[in-house]
Amino acid sequence: MPNQILVIGSSNTDMVVKTQKLPAPGETVLGGTFFMNPGGKGANQAVAAARLGGQVTFVAKVGDDIFGQQAVTGFQQEGINTRYILTDAEHPSGVALINVDASGENCITVAPGSNAHLQANETAEALQTMASDTLVLLQLEIPLSTVEHVVKQAARRGLRVILNPAPAQALPTDLFQHLFLITPNETEAELFTGIRVADLPTAKLAAQKLHELGVSNVVITLGSKGAYLSTETQDQLISTAVVKAIDTTAAGDCFNGALAVGLAEGQPLPDAIAFACKAASISVTRMGAQASMPKREEVDQ
Ligand code: ATP
Ligand code: RIB
């Protein structure tokens, strides 16, 4: 039996416009196509993990509105345990406005709404109920105080915590020691270490700094270059497939959801990362966040 995965994080509705180029400040770009699909880093990672065969429980706070209802129905259709999802009577569900250009690059604005009101004490029941070999997967689209509380409570219970520190923001230095694994991208790694990650040597230096902050296992995602793994005993660059990127939105989310599934199945870290790279390389060939998450058969093929 694979270990269970507890994802605690955000749920948004993504309003996506694909255009030839991203607008500059003050500029209007005409001629795009629009589509709406479910997003939010927490929800994307939960859906990615569920589609790849993970047993997922998701804790989030949605608004008392159609977006929130649609999101929860979607999670249930994916087989995700939604028992601990809360409804906020005062704040609307999160919304993200996303522009994607012809090369698949994006720019995103998020109105967090109810996600910004998921309180630490509202995660307690889920945290207490999960089995002791559960993997906990967190991001930074809910209050930092809640993330800190969950990390410390989970570590106290001996649960392994994976922190995907996105979107980038400074973290209290005493947080790192409680993590099993941290998965920054290049920008986030630079924020924590001051090292501009551009290649393998700089990724190594940044990972070393993260080890010094107290995390034993570091995975720095490097976009089309794959992901760099550094632990106390090994370090290696794991490459990703060469694909034509259509929309890289949520590539990191797909990677993290898949990584959690690999680890929950007992795969060694390098194998779980290779699995995550495969899944994420498929996701970038499709539009959307949750809409782009692959199924297990696709990755295994
Ligand atoms: P995003 O913010 O777009 O969700 P991110 O910045 O958090 O992504 P990246 O490092 O860009 O994360 O990508 C995560 C993983 O997705 C990479 O490690 C890689 O495996 C895969 N990936 C991303 N972009 C590409 C690409 N163009 N081609 C193939 N794989 C990709
Ligand atoms: O990581 C991609 C996600 O970031 C989008 O789905 C959007 O909702 C924002 O949260």
Side-chain angles (χ1 to χ4, degrees), residues 56-60 72 76 80-86 125-126 129:
V56 181
T57 296
F58 183 39
V59 179
V72 176
Q76 287 163 348
I80 293 170
N81 176 8
T82 58
R83 187 175 158 186
Y84 303 108
I85 295 185
L86 300 142
E125 198 187 344
T129 327

Side-chain angles (χ1 to χ4, degrees), residues 10 12-14 38-41 44 95-96 98 108 110 141 249-251 253 289:
S10 59
N12 293 331
T13 299
D14 292 352
K41 292 186 190 299
N44 296 344
V95 170
I98 304 183
I108 304 181
V110 179
E141 274 189 342
T249 308
D253 298 333

Side-chain angles (χ1 to χ4, degrees), residues 29-259:
V29 176
L30 260 184
T33 49
F34 169 78
F35 93 115
M36 193 169 90
N37 88 119
K41 292 186 190 299
N44 296 344
Q45 295 184 17
V47 167
R51 277 194 201 156
L52 295 168
Q55 290 180 46
V56 181
T57 296
F58 183 39
V59 179
K61 191 179 253 190
V62 297
D64 188 8
D65 49 35
I66 185 74
F67 288 159
Q69 286 155 19
Q70 279 175 349
V72 176
T73 304
F75 304 143
Q76 287 163 348
Q77 286 165 350
E78 301 286 349
I80 293 170
N81 176 8
T82 58
R83 187 175 158 186
Y84 303 108
I85 295 185
L86 300 142
T87 303
D88 187 330
E90 289 169 39
H91 304 97
S93 295
V95 170
L97 302 183
I98 304 183
N99 288 97
V100 181
D101 74 9
S103 73
E105 197 50 70
N106 64 48
C107 94
I108 304 181
T109 320
V110 179
S114 51
N115 295 303
H117 299 274
L118 177 62
Q119 305 302 337
N121 63 341
E122 293 171 326
T123 63
E125 198 187 344
L127 265 178
Q128 279 155 15
T129 327
M130 301 301 290
S132 58
D133 51 11
T134 299
L135 274 163
V136 181
L137 181 54
L138 292 163
Q139 320 73 28
L140 300 177
E141 274 189 342
I142 55 173
L144 187 53
S145 52
T146 302
V147 172
E148 273 188 84
H149 175 86
V150 170
V151 169
K152 288 180 182 165
Q153 289 304 314
R156 191 167 296 162
R157 276 207 57 201
L159 311 183
R160 286 178 295 170
V161 179
I162 304 172
L163 177 63
N164 172 226
Q169 64 172 291
L171 292 175
T173 44
D174 71 335
L175 197 74
F176 294 91
Q177 63 188 306
H178 301 292
L179 303 174
F180 165 71
L181 170 65
I182 193 161
T183 60
N185 66 8
E186 291 143 305
T187 317
E188 292 141 12
E190 180 177 351
L191 177 77
F192 302 134
T193 66
I195 293 162
R196 181 133 202 260
V197 178
D199 51 21
L200 193 54
T202 47
K204 276 188 189 198
L205 277 178
Q208 194 49 47
K209 288 256 178 195
L210 286 163
H211 291 315
E212 284 162 20
L213 284 167
V215 205
S216 310
N217 300 309
V218 174
V219 176
I220 302 178
T221 62
L222 303 167
S224 59
K225 296 191 285 298
Y228 173 69
L229 165 67
S230 176
T231 73
E232 278 154 7
T233 55
Q234 57 182 324
D235 80 300
Q236 60 179 296
L237 176 69
I238 294 158
S239 58
T240 185
V242 178
V243 294
K244 181 169 166 31
I246 301 290
D247 178 7
T248 61
T249 308
D253 298 333
C254 184
F255 181 94
N256 279 277
L259 181 61

